Amino acid sequence: MKSVKIGEIVLKNPIALSPMAGISSLPFRIICNGMGACYSPTELVSARSIRYNGVEKSLRYMRISPEEEGITAIQLFGTDPDDFEAAIETIMETPVLREVSIIDINMGCPVPKVVKTGAGSALMEDPDRASSIVKTCRNTLDRLGKKIPVTVKTRTGFNAGDEGKPDFAKVLADAGCDMICVHGRTRVQMYHGESSVKAIALMREAVRDYPIPFFANGDICDAASARKVIEQTGCDGIMIGRAARGNPWIFEQVTAELAGSEMPKYPDEQARKEMLLRELEGRLKYLPEDVAVREFRSVMPYYIKGIPGSSRLKVSLVSASGFEEVKEILGLV
Ligand SMILES: Cc1cc2nc3c(=O)[nH]c(=O)nc-3n(C[C@H](O)[C@H](O)[C@H](O)COP(=O)(O)O)c2cc1C
């Protein structure tokens, strides 16, 4: 694939981790980038909460480490442009966070709690507001003298009948967005049904003449599906979400496929268990042990999926309460 730039940032390849609440922890993002992802945004963080509560409450979700991650991206959600302005000002006053490479805006979240406030995927139904949010983020960063790109992650529509929203893609590009990523499902679909490459392609086409990269997302689960989505949408890059859970090796495999180099071997059982522990160790650096292990319970099964005896292991792992216990269950003591 051709080299891709987001603003002034040159990506080492155009394959990113898709942001996932509860999954996109800092250690997982570091691991994915180490395996070949060009960058891995944080999960969605409320611009309003940052505005009114400061960064403290949200820090665990938006923690970044430019040194270990390389390119970093913080994803904000909200509906009031003033919240985004205040949130960006606060981020830019905060050590480490102010070094962030990209500010991403969530315009795709389908969760009722978010949508009913007019945020996430609801913004697709309010293009003026969406445009105003992008412009506000851009202006705020410009005013602070920050050459930080503003990107948007959205969907192919809100209602069941929507089959791509080319006008919405144009609204975002006209507002000054530096990259658009589209997940090929409507809000109504949540995560069900198929991601539509056709609907993504329609949005891609709408902004082909703009000098900004377009990323596609949805249902990419291996090297073959990555190639298919790229060919059928004409996108510049892709984001991989669920298939990366407990499987950061997917980035190694997809980058090898696209570079035409030899496909790396799939990790064996030992390697997968060790990777699980590595992510948990990373989480322990900034969370108390009981919280880190509890929050990791829903993630651990992804790492052991398919290995012999995984159902039994899963039952033990989801009730584990300490690091040593997890190690013991995995037979890695
Ligand atoms: C558990 C979970 C949490 C998610 N959280 C976010 C999020 O915080 N921000 C976002 O833009 N998308 C979020 N998504 C959507 C994914 O980034 C992605 O768009 C979607 O899963 C489709 O891609 P996939 O088929 O590769 O998983 C989430 C998805 C899942 C499954």
Side-chain angles (χ1 to χ4, degrees):
M1 292 185 85
K2 61 182 193 307
S3 136
V4 171
K5 267 170 92 180
I6 299 181
E8 297 295 308
I9 300 170
V10 180
L11 304 181
K12 65 182 177 192
N13 63 48
I15 299 140
L17 175 69
S18 207
M20 285 176 288
I23 305 287
S24 297
S25 65
L26 173 59
F28 184 59
R29 295 182 342 246
I30 294 170
I31 289 170
C32 288
N33 293 356
M35 286 281 169
C38 58
Y39 73 100
S40 303
T42 66
E43 65 183 77
L44 78 178
V45 183
S46 163
R48 173 153 293 188
S49 172
I50 298 172
R51 179 182 186 182
Y52 291 109
N53 306 313
V55 291
E56 209 52 49
K57 246 182 102 179
S58 315
L59 194 57
R60 44 185 307 212
Y61 307 113
M62 65 196 290
R63 189 181 297 274
I64 54 166
S65 173
E67 219 171 276
E68 294 166 286
E69 284 182 87
I71 298 167
T72 55
I74 293 177
Q75 187 186 67
L76 298 175
F77 78 94
T79 190
D80 181 349
D82 292 346
D83 289 348
F84 284 87
E85 178 171 8
I88 289 174
E89 281 171 356
T90 304
I91 288 170
M92 292 306 152
E93 282 163 6
T94 309
V96 187
L97 294 185
R98 67 161 77 107
E99 294 168 40
V100 71
S101 324
I102 295 168
I103 294 289
D104 185 54
I105 307 168
N106 182 308
M107 298 196 188
C109 181
V111 174
K113 200 172 74 181
V114 170
V115 172
K116 73 169 190 248
T117 66
S121 56
L123 288 166
M124 288 186 287
E125 293 294 274
D126 194 349
D128 289 344
R129 185 175 284 273
S131 168
S132 166
I133 289 173
V134 172
K135 285 179 183 161
T136 301
C137 291
R138 179 71 274 139
N139 292 340
T140 307
L141 289 163
D142 287 347
R143 176 166 54 75
L144 298 172
K146 299 280 185 179
K147 270 190 162 349
I148 295 177
V150 175
T151 61
V152 172
K153 182 162 171 290
T154 186
R155 288 189 173 230
T156 44
F158 188 86
N159 300 303
D162 292 340
E163 285 172 21
K165 276 202 174 279
D167 292 345
F168 187 66
K170 271 195 183 146
V171 164
L172 299 175
D174 284 332
C177 171
D178 293 292
M179 174 274 221
I180 300 171
C181 175
V182 175
H183 169 198
R185 287 188 177 82
T186 61
R187 187 263 162 164
V188 174
Q189 282 180 283
M190 307 288 283
Y191 296 100
H192 307 296
E194 253 179 59
S195 173
S196 166
V197 281
K198 219 169 120 196
I200 298 175
L202 208 65
M203 294 175 76
R204 195 290 156 269
E205 233 10 77
V207 291
R208 193 174 280 287
D209 292 338
Y210 290 80
I212 57 168
F214 182 99
F215 276 49
N217 164 245
D219 294 352
I220 297 169
C221 58
D222 53 20
S225 52
R227 185 173 281 286
K228 187 181 127 199
V229 168
I230 292 164
E231 287 172 358
Q232 297 187 353
T233 64
C235 64
D236 303 299
I238 52 173
M239 282 194 156
I240 302 175
R242 290 165 298 175
R245 291 181 295 195
N247 180 25
W249 296 274
I250 193 167
F251 294 103
E252 211 177 44
Q253 283 159 355
V254 172
T255 47
E257 158 82 13
L258 298 179
S261 43
E262 199 186 326
M263 189 62 69
K265 272 217 316 257
Y266 198 71
D268 62 14
E269 183 178 329
Q270 178 80 7
R272 294 173 67 180
K273 288 177 173 175
E274 283 169 4
M275 193 63 90
L276 181 160
L277 270 195
R278 188 173 145 201
E279 187 186 335
L280 178 55
E281 271 173 320
R283 287 175 177 247
L284 288 172
K285 285 188 195 156
Y286 59 91
L287 286 176
E289 184 173 349
D290 57 332
V291 178
V293 174
R294 197 172 56 236
E295 288 187 354
F296 198 42
R297 281 179 186 161
S298 61
V299 180
M300 288 191 281
Y302 292 110
Y303 278 102
I304 54 153
K305 209 168 135 196
I307 68 177
S310 61
S311 325
R312 187 182 36 82
L313 271 182
K314 184 178 157 184
V315 173
S316 309
L317 285 173
V318 297
S319 58
S321 53
F323 179 69
E324 287 305 323
E325 194 183 341
V326 171
K327 256 173 106 174
E328 211 169 292
I329 293 166
L330 294 174
L332 293 179
V333 263

